[in-house]
Amino acid sequence: MRKALEGLKVIDLTTALNGPFCTMILADYGAEVIKIEPVDGEQSRTWGPIDEKSGESGFYCFVNRNKKGVTLNLKTEKGLQMFYDLVKDADILVENYKGGVTKRLGIDYESVKKVNPTIIYASGSGFGQYGPITHRPCYDIVAQAMGGMVYLTGFKHTDPVKVGPSIADHVAGIYLSVGILLALYNREKTGKGQHVDVSMIDTIFSLLENAIVNYTIGGFIPERQGNIDPSICPFDIYKCKDGFVALGVGNDRLFKKFCATIGHEELLEDPRYKTNVSRCENYVPDLQNIIRDWCKNYTKKEIEDIMDKAGIPCGPVLNVKEAIEHPHIQAREMMVHVNHPTAGEQYYQGCVIKLSETPGSVEAPSPLLGQHNAEVFGLTEEEIKNLKSEGVI
């Protein structure tokens, strides 16, 4: 079955996470992604978990599936020329160096555009391609901190914490792939390539939801509130007999059904809980404790079933093992098996976007270091030997 992005050639100069996550999406949906690594490999090859037998990084293998892998020393004259030859007929180039590095290497947008005027050149960095701190390196925790998310995460009387997974990287990678597709659509109409610029700090800032308007319109700086949503109530996580459940009651109609479901219809006559706004203002401590007292008498499964029958948004708090094994995750093919040439069978996340006619899939494992040098560069064994000795590949 044909894939949506078949026929596109992507040059992948990315490392770590935001860039590789973007190019993983492109590869899953059929683009030919050629990952260029330094001669000694990119940094995430050393990130855990590491397979004991093969020494392969599970992290690297997940985000670099479906790609071809080559090595290239871009600081050498021959390496730079081989790079230029590779991008001449490419559709897309993706890089995630910190600001200024590509220009020093001679692989920036202006340089590449001279070789290939119609290329879509996508940059995913910590701080973007312009601004006073564009030169700084960045990891997810820094973007979360400076973008405003860390300050909002955690409980009121405890230190701020970052969101668990690297959401700055992941969502920046998604934004980057969206930007590439927008640019490709424009190129179809105009024949012109362009530069796509996505930063991790912009990404986090864009996810702050109503925290921004609470300040610009409401006039106050939002503080940490744990699991409570300041604009919806009840909206919280509650302890039960065998763990925790999440409940969300987003409007008056649902609140009426919720009160009947937990046997507290008297709450409907209490002026403190008449509207969503008044419930938000008066949630702690009385309403919160009423719901807590009800939940502690049931198991996660019992509450889930009760709320499912009533039509109330609810779900158990699952650990990773429970999430992987959940029937719905399994039914949605969100876990897939892939056979790696040295690490053996691997099991990780599948494709999120479900397309009816051109679906994505995971068909190939991540490349071994320099695995496709001969194929991609059209090299003989003798040429490979010579280029290795010269430190080019």
Side-chain angles (χ1 to χ4, degrees), residues 291-336:
I291 301 171
R292 284 175 171 176
D293 288 342
W294 183 85
C295 287
K296 70 183 183 183
N297 296 312
Y298 299 88
T299 65
K300 291 187 293 187
K301 183 67 169 64
E302 287 170 342
I303 295 176
E304 184 180 11
D305 289 344
I306 290 168
M307 296 302 163
D308 185 12
K309 186 176 180 180
I312 306 294
C314 171
V317 175
L318 303 178
N319 62 34
V320 171
K321 180 177 183 296
E322 290 169 328
I324 288 172
E325 295 173 354
H326 195 281
H328 197 74
I329 292 288
Q330 291 291 320
R332 296 281 295 171
E333 299 174 314
M334 281 307 300
M335 291 297 298
V336 295

Side-chain angles (χ1 to χ4, degrees), residues 95 97-102 109 123-136 195-202:
E95 61 86 13
Y97 293 100
K98 66 180 181 179
V101 173
T102 56
Y109 177 53
S123 299
S125 62
F127 299 100
Q129 300 305 300
Y130 60 89
I133 57 172
T134 184
H135 63 281
R136 290 187 187 177
H195 192 182
V196 179
D197 175 10
V198 172
S199 87
M200 290 163 64
I201 191 169
D202 292 352

Side-chain angles (χ1 to χ4, degrees), residues 106-117:
I107 58 172
D108 56 306
Y109 177 53
E110 294 304 319
S111 299
V112 171
K113 188 168 66 168
K114 292 175 183 175
V115 178
N116 183 345

Side-chain angles (χ1 to χ4, degrees), residues 28-40:
D28 285 353
Y29 291 89
E32 179 191 25
V33 176
I34 300 170
K35 182 178 180 68
I36 299 177
E37 298 184 60
V39 174
D40 57 353

Side-chain angles (χ1 to χ4, degrees), residues 209-257:
E209 198 186 352
N210 62 349
I212 299 293
V213 290
N214 278 334
Y215 173 66
T216 60
I217 296 175
F220 65 95
I221 298 174
E223 301 288 336
R224 292 184 295 285
Q225 297 195 50
N227 297 308
I228 298 171
D229 188 302
S231 60
I232 300 174
C233 182
F235 193 101
D236 206 345
I237 291 176
Y238 304 93
K239 190 172 184 179
C240 49
K241 280 184 175 180
D242 59 347
F244 297 86
V245 294
L247 282 164
V249 184
N251 55 57
D252 294 342
R253 177 184 58 82
L254 280 176
F255 186 65
K256 184 176 180 180
K257 292 171 67 174

